[in-house]
Amino acid sequence: MQVPLIRLQCGVNSYEWGKVGSQSAAARFAAATPSNKLSVESEKPYSELWMGTHPSLPSKDVETQRTLLDIVQDNQALMSQEISNRYGQKLPFLFKVLSIQKALSIQAHPNKKLAEQLHAKDPKNYPDDNHKPEMTIAVTPFDGLCGFRPLQEISHFLSTVPPLRNIIGDSVARDFEDAIRGHETSDSEDDVKKNKKALQAAFSALMKTDKSTIASAAKDLVTVAEKDGENFAGGGGPSNGGKELADLVIRLNSQFEGDIGLFVLFFLNYVKLEVGEAMFLKADDIHAYLSGDIMECMASSDNVVRAGFTPKFQDIPTLTTMLTYSYAPISEQKMHPVDYPYVTLNSTAYSSSSSAILYDPPIEEFSVVKTDLKKKGAKATFEAIAGPNILICTKGEGTIRVGPKVVEMKEGYVFFVGATAECELESLCDEFTTFKAFCELDSKETANRS
């Protein structure tokens, strides 16, 4: 049988929120594959590099130009028979590099049941019947809006940002404040249910406001932000300072003038991730990525329910009814990576503090390992797993070996490694960084039982 190591040609798209030219990691990585024939244009935005079998932008074997989907369907052992059967002979995950210059839409991804309903009703705007939980790992400093803030922070902003209170209406704002008062952080099931109902009412009131009212109030909001500076929004909440929020309002208004998203940000956690930090977003979690380069791994789907910071189709009724309305500080969404247990580092790797770190979300479709080999000659040998792998080099150069086959690996090179194949990475420099997305059902099921 052919050695299950395939170099991939991966497509890059050009949504207008992407970084331009060679500033975009997605563009640089795509251009690293000669057969792509991609000439990076200095003024053109490049937003996402897709690695996987999704039909919207399928990866191909560099040598044969066959799609990866065709290859894994032709030889189901490459993914393992169990994974192939469970996921309809398609890779269970979609791995991406995102290069973000300006805000992506305020959005959420439907759960499996809702995805099936939306796809059946409106396949044009909802092209998949699958859910789309996703994980974000920062490659450069990143910021975004993710999940609803703690309720006391939202209440603080309703009382210190007059244009926000005016939009929602004093009556709705008072109802929210009265409903949550005294049990904002209660764990009681009844209290949480009431709190979520109050949050949904306040958020829905905002989202149903007409565009002309929003645009007028946004002018007032920006004026206040420019004038108040560090005193904006009562000096900010516990999570974000006044100047930080004022600068955010001004920056986002320069990208989407008068947009409803300028008010949504007071409901959502504003998060900053440093390189290597990560967060996991369940299906039905609201978010908007604002800037930075990230690795993103998700269940294989392209379903998005949008409601702001976008000229694309927006579905506010679906968004406001589908959300879980869970509220928590961003610390609860950040992930806590651990050392990956199924890798052997050689002495050169150990002595140079090289590492292989596992990001393991609470779903079965994917996990990711970030490997940093910090000295020439450092090696990381990954044990064979009963599932497929996709690897990308994001920095430096080295080699990848599967069986007798050894291939060079440089920034932007992407490889598929089949199930049950041991894989070895070796650095040819002092900073060789790779990310490996994989699916292995047994390890997740065992972990979930323990």
Side-chain angles (χ1 to χ4, degrees):
M1 178 183 163
Q2 180 185 3
V3 175
L5 175 64
I6 302 168
R7 186 172 171 197
L8 298 178
Q9 172 186 325
C10 301
V12 63
N13 54 33
S14 295
Y15 301 135
E16 49 91 28
W17 50 260
K19 291 186 178 181
V20 297
S22 58
Q23 294 175 39
S24 167
R28 294 197 310 273
F29 295 167
T33 305
S35 56
N36 251 359
K37 298 177 182 175
L38 174 68
S39 177
V40 177
E41 299 173 31
S42 61
E43 300 300 318
K44 184 176 179 179
Y46 297 92
S47 49
E48 298 179 325
L49 180 80
W50 285 33
M51 299 169 278
T53 58
H54 196 281
S56 294
L57 202 58
S59 300
K60 299 177 182 178
D61 182 333
V62 166
E63 292 182 8
T64 67
Q65 290 296 293
R66 288 180 72 195
T67 66
L68 181 59
L69 178 60
D70 186 31
I71 293 168
V72 298
Q73 289 182 338
D74 195 41
N75 182 357
Q76 294 181 26
L78 286 171
M79 292 204 302
S80 86
Q81 196 66 53
E82 184 183 10
I83 288 175
S84 190
N85 290 344
R86 184 173 299 196
Y87 294 103
Q89 301 180 18
K90 301 170 187 173
L91 204 64
F93 59 83
L94 178 59
F95 203 21
K96 294 183 182 181
V97 177
L98 271 63
S99 293
I100 306 159
Q101 182 67 37
K102 60 186 286 191
L104 277 71
S105 57
I106 296 164
Q107 59 185 256
H109 306 298
N111 60 44
K112 189 75 170 74
K113 183 178 179 181
L114 180 59
E116 291 170 352
Q117 294 170 352
L118 292 173
H119 176 67
K121 184 176 73 173
D122 186 1
K124 177 176 180 289
N125 288 304
Y126 300 106
D128 290 292
D129 62 0
N130 196 20
H131 67 165
K132 192 182 174 184
E134 61 190 29
M135 178 171 65
T136 296
I137 306 171
V139 177
T140 64
F142 161 91
D143 70 340
L145 304 171
C146 303
F148 286 103
R149 293 177 180 270
L151 298 180
Q152 59 268 42
E153 290 191 28
I154 298 172
S155 181
H156 169 78
F157 292 134
L158 285 173
S159 65
T160 59
V161 183
L164 174 65
R165 194 177 188 92
N166 293 341
I167 281 283
I168 290 173
D170 190 58
S171 174
V172 173
R174 277 202 313 274
D175 288 346
F176 173 77
E177 292 159 345
D178 292 343
I180 68 167
R181 186 174 293 116
H183 46 82
E184 297 94 329
T185 58
S186 170
D187 292 330
S188 155
E189 188 175 331
D190 284 345
D191 287 343
V192 170
K193 188 175 181 180
K194 290 175 185 175
N195 286 347
K196 286 185 176 183
K197 185 177 179 181
L199 177 57
Q200 180 173 6
F203 185 70
S204 297
L206 168 63
M207 298 307 296
K208 292 172 182 175
T209 306
D210 66 84
K211 287 188 176 182
S212 61
T213 303
I214 291 288
S216 175
K219 290 180 181 178
D220 296 337
L221 181 68
V222 173
T223 298
V224 174
E226 291 173 337
K227 179 174 70 72
D228 286 0
E230 65 184 22
N231 296 317
F232 179 66
S239 304
N240 310 115
K243 188 173 190 315
E244 183 178 47
L245 288 170
D247 290 347
L248 182 62
V249 166
I250 294 165
R251 170 180 142 208
L252 293 176
N253 188 63
S254 72
Q255 298 174 6
F256 292 94
E257 186 176 358
D259 193 90
I260 196 170
L262 302 178
F263 296 96
V264 171
L265 69 87
F266 294 104
F267 279 83
L268 305 186
N269 287 300
Y270 175 52
V271 59
K272 293 182 177 180
L273 297 181
E274 296 302 322
V275 175
E277 287 193 306
M279 61 185 179
F280 175 67
L281 296 164
K282 302 185 294 291
D284 301 333
D285 274 353
I286 188 169
H287 59 282
Y289 297 159
L290 302 181
S291 70
D293 293 297
I294 59 174
M295 301 300 306
E296 188 180 51
C297 200
M298 64 197 68
S300 188
S301 172
D302 197 24
N303 277 338
V304 182
V305 183
R306 302 179 183 87
F309 291 151
T310 181
K312 294 182 180 179
F313 171 72
Q314 299 186 33
D315 191 349
I316 288 170
T318 296
L319 183 88
T320 54
T321 53
M322 71 181 275
L323 298 175
T324 62
Y325 292 97
S326 296
Y327 48 90
I330 194 61
S331 58
E332 293 189 18
Q333 281 186 302
K334 283 189 178 182
M335 299 188 69
H336 303 283
V338 297
D339 290 336
Y340 182 60
Y342 304 112
V343 64
T344 301
L345 302 179
N346 70 355
S347 58
T348 305
Y350 270 117
S351 64
S352 58
S353 299
S354 298
S355 61
I357 303 298
L358 172 67
Y359 301 85
D360 197 27
I363 57 167
E364 66 178 17
E365 283 94 337
F366 60 83
S367 303
V368 173
V369 174
K370 177 178 186 269
T371 305
D372 288 295
L373 297 178
K374 298 182 178 179
K375 192 171 183 181
K376 184 177 180 180
K379 291 183 182 180
T381 304
F382 292 89
E383 295 177 19
I385 64 167
N389 309 259
I390 286 183
L391 294 92
I392 180 172
C393 172
T394 58
K395 186 185 292 185
E397 60 181 311
T399 60
I400 181 170
R401 179 187 65 78
V402 173
K405 189 174 182 179
V406 181
V407 184
E408 70 172 347
M409 193 174 190
K410 297 181 178 179
E411 181 181 287
Y413 285 29
V414 182
F415 291 89
F416 174 86
V417 176
T420 70
E422 182 183 272
C423 171
E424 179 189 89
L425 300 173
E426 180 175 359
S427 180
L428 298 178
C429 62
D430 289 340
E431 210 169 6
F432 178 45
T433 300
T434 63
F435 288 86
K436 176 172 93 98
F438 66 95
C439 176
E440 187 180 29
L441 298 179
D442 288 348
S443 64
K444 285 290 175 89
E445 290 167 355
T446 300
N448 289 339
R449 286 196 299 266
S450 60

